[in-house]
Amino acid sequence: ADVKSYLTHLPPYLYKRVWINADILSGPGEDLNDELAQKKMQPKFDANEFLNVVTSQLGPLVLSIGWTTASTNVNAVYKNEMVDEMISCAEPYTEVTFPVR
């Protein structure tokens, strides 16, 4: 999906009040041997594209970035590598939150 096309309809007066949320990284949960399940777990947006478009084309806002997670295994564990990758994505920005299950 194209991030920019989603953002073009957002009125400028809302920028400071909006938390822009997207699951930009794959998270825990689905069987690694189940190809269909893994495909469903792929983020809808490329992490770098999302962050670049949002931060370059919108004013001050809060980034709410997260992981895709499986609905079939709610007890799945986030791996250190997943958290490290998310921290790396978030590090350049000051207004960031990321939800975990």
Side-chain angles (χ1 to χ4, degrees):
D2 178 37
V3 177
K4 190 173 181 179
S5 66
Y6 285 99
L7 299 176
T8 57
H9 300 292
L10 184 65
Y13 67 88
L14 290 178
Y15 294 168
K16 291 182 182 178
R17 301 178 190 175
V18 173
W19 287 32
I20 300 292
N21 177 268
D23 291 335
I24 61 170
L25 298 175
S26 293
E30 290 295 355
D31 181 356
L32 294 176
N33 296 317
D34 184 339
E35 190 174 321
L36 180 59
Q38 286 300 306
K39 186 174 181 178
K40 289 180 181 179
M41 289 280 295
Q42 293 304 306
K44 303 297 184 234
F45 299 110
D46 173 78
N48 290 326
E49 178 192 5
F50 176 81
L51 294 169
N52 288 333
V53 169
V54 168
T55 58
S56 68
Q57 297 197 9
L58 297 177
L61 51 78
V62 176
L63 293 171
S64 176
I65 50 180
W67 295 270
T68 60
T69 57
S71 59
T72 57
N73 186 357
V74 295
N75 295 317
V77 177
Y78 290 88
K79 296 178 182 173
N80 288 341
E81 296 82 18
M82 293 174 179
V83 176
D84 290 343
E85 185 178 14
M86 184 62 74
I87 290 170
S88 179
C89 286
E91 197 167 27
Y93 309 101
T94 56
E95 298 289 331
V96 180
T97 182
F98 55 86
V100 295
R101 192 187 262 207

